Amino acid sequence: MPPITNDWLEPLQGEFKKPYYKNLYTKVLEEYRTCAVYPPADDIFNAFHFTPLNEVKVVILGQDPYHGTGQAHGLCFSVNKDIEIPPSLVNIYQELHDDLGCAVPNNGYLEKWAKQGVLLLNTVLTVRAHAANSHRGIGWEEFTDAVIEIVSRQDRPIVYLLWGKPAQSKKRMLHNPKHLVLEAPHPSPLSAYRGFFGCKHFSQANAFLEEHGETPIDWQIEDV
């Protein structure tokens, strides 16, 4: 796991010294040594590398990384450029089209969002190949809860997009009056029709940012 070296390091430093994190680190190293694990080890902390804490404007919470070959690269809902767009992201693009008129791109690589301040955070940062939720309960949730707490203390406008019950379970941690929390069903094909489609979270997030003097997010992902 490559070290976090930007402005996330100081507020997270205490987590790295806790017993749970030492156990997590040992477990994850052993998993990479003995199994196929995603994302590649160098990409585990990409959400932090691509989006420094002082640039976070929007937080999107996912559950755990994609578990198919070559998909995950450390940003929730995002896949590498040469990978077929997963169904949940297809639905996210459909809502973006309906909400903001964004053209549906030919790839699912969301680094452009991350570079604008969209923290694309999974609550679990690794997964065994072809075994969804296989790294649930080994310590990542405690670490990412600490991340959410750190963001919740930021004294500036931030929007949280909580899609589905696992993400919405984090709402209890979000009490900052300067922040906006938006909730909708998960964009999965199993639940998107229950209210993800038509939620207009992207336009609402941008309106909130603009109202508070922040530059809105350019949500359009370009074709490759």
Side-chain angles (χ1 to χ4, degrees), residues 43-103:
D43 291 343
I44 291 172
F45 290 133
N46 272 353
F48 308 101
H49 297 152
F50 291 0
T51 312
L53 175 59
N54 70 344
E55 295 178 12
V56 173
K57 295 178 177 178
V58 177
V59 179
I60 298 178
L61 288 179
Q63 196 161 344
D64 68 336
Y66 295 121
H67 53 82
T69 305
Q71 291 180 300
H73 66 103
L75 305 180
C76 76
F77 292 106
S78 181
V79 290
N80 285 303
K81 291 179 182 178
D82 56 346
I83 297 292
E84 183 178 356
I85 302 170
S88 290
L89 186 52
V90 169
N91 288 340
I92 289 169
Y93 284 161
Q94 181 63 52
E95 176 59 21
L96 267 170
H97 172 74
D98 296 345
D99 186 12
L100 290 172
C102 292

Side-chain angles (χ1 to χ4, degrees), residues 4 6 64 71 74 80 87 89 104 118 130 140 170 176 178 204 206 219:
I4 294 172
N6 61 11
D64 68 336
Q71 291 180 300
N80 285 303
L89 186 52
V104 175
V118 181
H130 315 302
W140 280 126
K170 307 300 182 184
N176 191 321
K178 292 191 175 181
Q204 288 185 67
N206 276 356
W219 295 102

